[in-house]
Amino acid sequence: MRVIDLRSDTVTQPAPAMREAIAKAPVGDDVYGEDPTVDALQRRAAQLLGKEAALFVPSGSMGNQASLRTLTRPGDVVLASENAHLLRYEAGAPAALWGVHVKTIGSGGLFDASDVRQAVVPAQDSHVAPTRVLAFENTHNFAGGRIFPQGALREAAAAARELGLALHLDGARLFNAVVATGVPAAVWAEPFDTVSFCLSKGLGAPVGSLVCGSHAQIRKVHRARKLLGGAMRQAGILAAAGLYALDHHVERLAVDHANAKRFAEGLGALGIAVRPAPETNMVMFEVGDAAAFARGLSERALRINPIAPGRFRAVTHLDVTEADIDEALERISEIVRELRSA
Ligand SMILES: Cc1ncc(COP(=O)(O)O)c(C=O)c1O
């Protein structure tokens, strides 16, 4: 039985044309600043996000953590959305590496200006840890690929600015938000000091993320990348895949979003609770007997990750077609029948 892999949009294989772009890429030692393909990718990213500069980093986690390094001092507080990736899935890095603690704000990946005003404790008193950064995640992974509404984002960012905070955007899947809303990346990025986005998620490149910001900010991120061991040499072979992805794999994210919707509707028709309704390329759903359901999935070569008790996350991507979605639904309908008759 053919494997259908809906665990994550990170599982994609580089397509032949992307491999060709990798093979042809002119390269140089990027630690000496001599890799023309890395330079081209960084210029492209900065321009797309409307920032002065960008830096290529090996991963989204490094993009987030190198950014936090430049925006904080030990003892500071970072405010981040509930279940933010930088808090939940980056091995405790904010505390372990930078001595900052992360306080969550809002719920379901979202917050508003009044949440920001309530969360920031005035730090004139030396007992109080200064709140230094507000971090957004858009789209939000754990909240099921949810898009942060543009108006609420602007208002929350403005409230944070008034309170003297710096702003970071974990835009690992920013281009999903761009394609789903039609709001350009530069508009999403405008309020932020640092924005990281990933090439290796829905965009289908094998490796890499970019951090975008002002020249001064990116100079600091460059140092933080070195500190983290993320300076690479002939990295143009990776950057070439990123350029290819930005040229060919942005608009097609709409296909992933349509497939996620189709999958969610199919699950609903089978009596499976989908919560929340998908906005981009993720489908979160709940089943009663999760262990039996997971066994059914693995017996049918269907890969979908459990993400909380009774809760699963399916992610559509470049290597999943509409026919795969229909086939996945067919296999799930068998599981549902089996569980009902048990
Ligand atoms: C929202 C978000 N931020 C950051 C990351 C980290 O990316 P990486 O796996 O490249 O470190 C991920 C990975 O899934 C993510 O979903």
Side-chain angles (χ1 to χ4, degrees):
M1 201 181 278
R2 199 167 50 81
V3 172
I4 300 176
D5 195 343
L6 298 170
R7 286 171 301 167
S8 174
D9 47 11
T10 57
V11 301
T12 55
Q13 293 286 322
M18 181 183 274
R19 288 175 185 268
E20 210 172 299
I22 291 170
K24 285 188 180 149
V27 297
D29 188 334
D30 187 50
V31 174
Y32 286 100
E34 291 173 2
D35 190 303
T37 311
V38 170
D39 289 345
L41 175 64
Q42 291 176 165
R43 276 197 305 275
R44 180 81 190 282
Q47 180 236 328
L48 270 172
L49 271 76
K51 299 292 188 196
E52 288 173 357
L55 188 75
F56 188 46
V57 294
S59 69
S61 302
M62 192 181 290
N64 283 337
Q65 297 306 324
S67 298
L68 288 186
R69 160 78 178 183
T70 67
L71 301 173
T72 60
R73 282 174 294 189
D76 285 350
V77 174
V78 171
L79 296 176
S81 51
E82 188 182 35
N83 293 312
H85 195 281
L86 63 81
L87 170 63
R88 194 179 164 116
Y89 295 117
E90 294 178 14
L97 300 178
W98 318 130
V100 302
H101 56 282
V102 181
K103 219 166 98 178
T104 59
I105 174 170
S107 67
L110 307 180
F111 46 82
D112 62 20
S114 72
D115 294 322
V116 175
R117 290 193 194 96
Q118 272 172 34
V120 177
V121 184
Q124 291 89 339
D125 179 340
S126 60
H127 292 82
V128 174
T131 307
R132 197 75 68 186
V133 177
L134 177 63
F136 292 67
E137 185 174 312
N138 191 25
T139 64
H140 200 285
N141 182 344
F142 201 86
R146 178 173 277 160
I147 299 167
F148 210 115
Q150 174 68 203
L153 181 145
R154 292 248 159 204
E155 283 167 23
R161 280 287 184 226
E162 273 167 31
L163 293 160
L165 306 195
L167 292 164
H168 172 68
L169 171 61
D170 176 352
R173 296 183 178 80
L174 182 63
F175 285 93
N176 292 87
V178 168
V179 169
T181 59
V183 175
V187 173
W188 284 114
E190 199 271 328
F192 296 95
D193 298 294
T194 47
V195 180
S196 58
F197 75 87
C198 291
L199 300 164
S200 57
K201 309 255 167 354
L203 298 181
V207 178
S209 292
L210 287 121
V211 182
C212 306
S214 67
H215 285 302
Q217 198 65 48
I218 294 304
R219 264 196 300 280
K220 293 184 201 165
V221 178
H222 191 273
R223 177 173 282 272
R225 182 184 72 173
K226 184 66 190 168
L227 179 66
L228 291 166
M232 299 179 285
R233 301 291 177 174
Q234 283 71 20
I237 56 167
L238 305 175
L243 282 166
Y244 183 91
L246 289 172
D247 284 337
H248 299 279
H249 292 166
V250 175
E251 271 76 35
R252 67 146 307 285
L253 291 170
V255 174
D256 299 345
H257 300 170
N259 282 338
K261 194 159 174 271
R262 188 178 183 88
F263 191 58
E265 283 166 2
L267 291 177
L270 294 171
I272 294 176
V274 176
R275 278 192 209 104
E279 296 179 24
T280 54
N281 68 331
M282 296 185 181
V283 182
M284 312 287 253
F285 60 94
E286 287 161 17
V287 293
D289 190 345
F293 187 79
R295 251 192 327 276
L297 291 176
S298 89
E299 283 162 11
R300 288 169 181 79
L302 250 185
R303 297 195 180 152
I304 300 177
N305 279 339
I307 60 150
R311 208 162 151 75
F312 289 80
R313 185 197 70 174
V315 187
T316 55
H317 53 75
L318 191 56
D319 292 351
V320 174
T321 62
E322 188 180 283
D324 292 330
I325 292 298
D326 291 343
E327 173 64 25
L329 287 167
E330 187 51 45
R331 294 183 199 173
I332 290 174
S333 76
E334 284 174 25
I335 302 172
V336 169
R337 273 199 301 277
E338 204 171 85
L339 293 184
R340 284 204 184 121
S341 64

